[in-house]
């Protein structure tokens, strides 16, 4: 595969500010990687000799495994860090932890942290590439990219499509990254959920706001059913789980009122019976497991592009400052 010369990013921190050309470049590379993943060998050692570190300060199943798998499928080595059992409990800061891990010879750090902005902070304090695997409620760029790839594969060009994001918009990084990416590619985005989780302020960003799922059923080409982020909420934003499921859960009766080729997505983990019923999650409109498969391909593309850029593009002056500071401190 030829490296696309116009990819100029060493880090993937979010989809805010990422152009349509960059997104399409990454998605096209992911399509190629998905093809390779479906071949018997499943590998292309394009990153042989590189080492990636998974730095996860929050729980993860799909993202952590698929970043690790993506790096290995490209021939890179992978080391895994979990906050539990590490020296974080002894008071070590995020930057110190990351710089110590980088000092072991790391080319890319994949970070998940509850604090918004932590990947950016690391990108300013490390020499290696930084990829955001979810920073609190802020962004989760590879999740949105794999969602968009799945939409493209099933429905074609996303431009002009209407994508509805349902549920906990207030606390969902998946929602934020999807809004950025989908709008950049020309999709119409509706956010829908209880008013305690969906701010009318989204209208200022060109997003349609709805408080009734029933009212938008026949308008959307895609429903992305977001998980209620109980772990980020201080107080429960609706009276009961039953009420939420009654008003905002996708079920067979609602599905029957949707467009006939409607696509059902969910970032996972799904709570069966809450955001959607099992028959919808496992039904013919659902692309949930395809999203997971596409996640490996998207993360291969992200690692390949960022690490490829790092080895081609000279560090910018700000990087020299960081390197000089590191050199002074280690002298
Ligand atoms: N797995 C996604 C995330 O980490 C979605 C979720 O947890 O609800 O943001």
């Amino acid at each position: 595969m030829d490296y696309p010369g116009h990819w100029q990013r060493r880090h993937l921190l979010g989809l805010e500010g990422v152009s349509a050309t960059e997104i399409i470049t990454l998605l096209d590379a992911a399509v190629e990687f998905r093809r390779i993943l479906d071949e018997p060998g499943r590998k292309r050692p394009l990153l042989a000799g590189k080492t990636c570190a998974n730095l996860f300060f929050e729980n993860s199943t799909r993202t952590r495994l698929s970043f690790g798998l993506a790096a290995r499928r490209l021939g890179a080595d992978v080391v895994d860090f979990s906050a539990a059992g590490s020296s974080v409990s002894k008071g070590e800061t995020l930057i110190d932890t990351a710089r110590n891990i980088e000092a072991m010879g790391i080319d890319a750090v994949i970070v998940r942290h509850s604090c918004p902005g932590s990947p950016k902070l690391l990108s300013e304090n490390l020499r290696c590439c930084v990829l955001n695997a979810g920073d609190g409620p802020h962004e989760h760029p590879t999740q949105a990219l794999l969602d968009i790839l799945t939409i493209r594969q099933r429905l074609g060009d996303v431009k002009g499509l209407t994508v509805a994001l349902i549920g906990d918009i207030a606390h969902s990084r998946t929602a934020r990254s999807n809004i950025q990416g989908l709008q950049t590619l020309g999709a119409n985005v509706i956010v829908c959920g209880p008013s305690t989780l969906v701010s009318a302020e989204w209208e200022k960003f060109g997003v349609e706001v709805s408080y009734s799922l029933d009212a938008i059923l026949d308008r959307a080409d895609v429903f992305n059913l977001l998980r209620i982020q109980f772990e980020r909420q201080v107080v429960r934003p609706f009276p009961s789980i039953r009420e939420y499921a009654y008003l905002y859960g996708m079920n067979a009766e609602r599905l029957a009122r949707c467009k006939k080729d409607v696509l059902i997505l969910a970032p996972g983990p799904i709570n069966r019976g809450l955001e959607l019923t099992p028959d919808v999650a496992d039904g013919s409109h659902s692309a949930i497991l395809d999203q997971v498969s596409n996640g490996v391909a998207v993360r291969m593309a992200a690692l390949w592009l960022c690490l490829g850029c790092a080895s081609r593009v000279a560090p910018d002056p700000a990087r020299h400052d960081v390197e000089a500071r590191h050199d002074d401190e280690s002298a």
Side-chain angles (χ1 to χ4, degrees):
M1 279 173 76
D2 289 335
Y3 184 81
H6 54 273
W7 180 272
Q8 300 280 328
R9 286 177 192 271
R10 302 172 66 239
H11 311 296
L12 183 62
L13 305 177
L15 291 190
E16 186 178 0
V18 178
S19 68
T21 310
E22 289 173 298
I23 293 176
I24 298 295
T25 299
L26 195 149
L27 294 180
D28 287 348
V31 168
E32 190 60 20
F33 285 124
R34 179 70 206 259
R35 199 184 52 70
I36 291 166
L37 287 169
D38 291 338
E39 287 172 359
R42 294 168 187 254
K43 284 195 172 184
R44 277 293 183 285
L46 296 167
L47 296 182
K50 304 283 184 197
T51 305
C52 303
N54 265 332
L55 256 66
F56 278 61
F57 293 83
E58 275 192 342
N59 295 342
S60 173
T61 302
R62 278 149 292 270
T63 307
R64 182 189 195 120
L65 283 179
S66 90
F67 260 118
L69 211 48
R72 287 188 186 94
R73 298 280 191 237
L74 290 167
D77 294 322
V78 181
V79 288
D80 271 302
F81 164 91
S82 299
S86 76
S87 289
V88 168
S89 61
K90 300 179 191 167
E92 190 165 51
T93 66
L94 171 64
I95 293 175
D96 280 336
T97 302
R99 285 181 61 185
N100 276 269
I101 292 170
E102 184 186 41
M104 298 178 202
I106 299 298
D107 301 289
V109 156
I110 297 142
V111 61
R112 168 169 287 191
H113 200 284
S114 59
C115 182
S118 37
K120 183 164 191 304
L121 184 71
L122 290 188
S123 73
E124 291 163 355
N125 285 277
L126 300 177
R127 300 176 197 196
C128 67
C129 304
V130 177
L131 289 94
N132 182 1
D135 57 333
H138 179 223
E139 280 233 38
H140 192 353
T142 54
Q143 176 68 53
L145 290 164
L146 72 88
D147 293 345
I148 295 170
L149 177 61
T150 309
I151 297 171
R152 267 179 115 207
Q153 285 175 337
R154 296 280 184 125
L155 303 179
D157 194 353
V158 300
K159 187 169 183 182
L161 291 180
T162 298
V163 180
L165 305 171
I166 311 300
D168 191 352
I169 310 299
H171 304 96
S172 169
R173 52 197 176 203
T174 299
R176 255 163 218 71
S177 290
N178 261 277
I179 290 168
Q180 297 284 354
L182 288 166
Q183 286 194 325
T184 300
L185 296 182
N188 308 309
V189 181
I190 306 177
V191 291
C192 175
S195 58
T196 45
L197 291 174
V198 181
S199 165
E201 295 289 299
W202 277 110
E203 284 175 353
K204 291 186 185 152
F205 300 94
V207 176
E208 183 180 332
V209 173
S210 169
Y211 297 111
S212 166
L213 176 58
D214 288 318
I216 61 165
L217 284 176
D218 59 352
R219 292 186 43 222
D221 300 290
V222 181
F223 285 90
N224 196 341
L225 301 152
L226 306 177
R227 186 176 64 85
I228 303 298
Q229 310 276 299
F230 289 112
E231 73 276 24
R232 302 194 200 287
Q233 297 165 359
V234 182
V235 288
R236 184 176 286 181
F238 38 76
S240 73
I241 286 173
R242 266 180 72 192
E243 181 180 296
Y244 180 86
Y246 178 71
L247 291 173
Y248 296 104
M250 184 60 80
N251 54 33
E253 186 272 316
R254 286 198 165 109
L255 192 61
R257 287 189 275 146
C258 293
K259 290 188 179 185
K260 91 176 175 340
D261 54 357
V262 70
L263 188 62
I264 299 294
L265 302 181
I270 60 172
N271 290 303
R272 289 171 179 264
L274 178 53
E275 303 102 15
L276 70 177
T277 50
D279 51 343
V280 175
D282 303 326
S284 59
H285 292 273
S286 166
I288 294 174
L289 291 179
D290 228 17
Q291 287 174 268
V292 179
S293 304
N294 281 336
V296 181
V298 157
R299 287 163 182 135
M300 286 170 86
L303 287 167
W304 177 61
L305 289 170
C306 292
L307 279 158
C309 174
S311 57
R312 278 169 181 77
V313 180
D316 62 31
R319 307 297 316 159
H320 285 306
D321 288 350
V322 173
E323 286 173 23
R325 211 167 63 229
H326 283 208
D327 292 343
D328 287 352
E329 284 166 19
S330 57

